[in-house]
Amino acid sequence: MMRELRVEDALMYLDQVKMEFGDRPHIYNEFLDIMKTFKSQAIDTPGVIRRVASLFHGNRRLVLGFNTFLPEGYRIELPLDGSEFPVYREPGRSGVTQIRMLPQPTPYDAAPGGGAAAAAAANQ
């Protein structure tokens, strides 16, 4: 069951994402792509949690703010042990699941040769 998503909350969150990554629009666009994929049910709730938490890794406000979009019973939390990796709860399961971060491409990964080769070429 989906909790009721207020349009105002969704728009406010989208504005926060856009403001946070105004200098990196590819991150905002990736977030929109993730949301479209989730809405089309091509990825499940744990999958969307992993992708968004990885995309916004290190930004506690945006990671926790994503709870607005999750179905009833799911919740992203930050562990009390001080770990930088968030966890999530899901309905019908006791305890929490640690979110395994997905690797994020760097701007150099898209260049021919990728990684260090592209960085060296960019500095010439």
Side-chain angles (χ1 to χ4, degrees):
M1 178 169 115
M2 284 294 273
R3 72 177 70 145
E4 187 176 331
L5 178 62
R6 292 183 27 213
V7 174
E8 298 84 17
D9 293 337
L11 292 175
M12 187 168 61
Y13 184 80
L14 287 173
D15 282 345
Q16 289 174 0
V17 173
K18 189 180 274 188
M19 285 178 19
E20 184 70 30
F21 299 106
D23 59 335
R24 294 173 284 169
H26 63 282
I27 293 178
Y28 178 75
N29 291 330
E30 175 68 17
F31 173 70
L32 294 180
D33 289 342
I34 292 169
M35 293 305 293
K36 288 177 198 168
T37 305
F38 181 51
K39 186 174 181 184
S40 73
Q41 299 180 344
I43 56 174
D44 60 4
T45 301
V48 79
I49 289 171
R50 272 192 304 279
R51 289 181 67 182
V52 169
S54 294
L55 186 66
F56 297 156
H57 180 68
N59 190 316
R60 300 165 65 96
R61 183 173 51 90
L62 290 180
V63 170
L64 294 177
F66 189 69
N67 283 317
T68 300
F69 295 97
L70 296 178
E72 192 70 39
Y74 284 88
R75 180 133 194 97
I76 300 171
E77 301 174 356
L78 295 173
L80 298 175
D81 66 5
S83 170
E84 65 176 291
F85 299 106
V87 296
Y88 70 92
R89 297 183 184 276
E90 59 184 299
R93 294 189 65 184
S94 61
V96 296
T97 302
Q98 183 171 357
I99 299 173
R100 294 201 182 345
M101 295 292 122
L102 301 172
Q104 293 297 309
T106 65
Y108 297 117
D109 289 341
N123 289 328
Q124 290 182 349

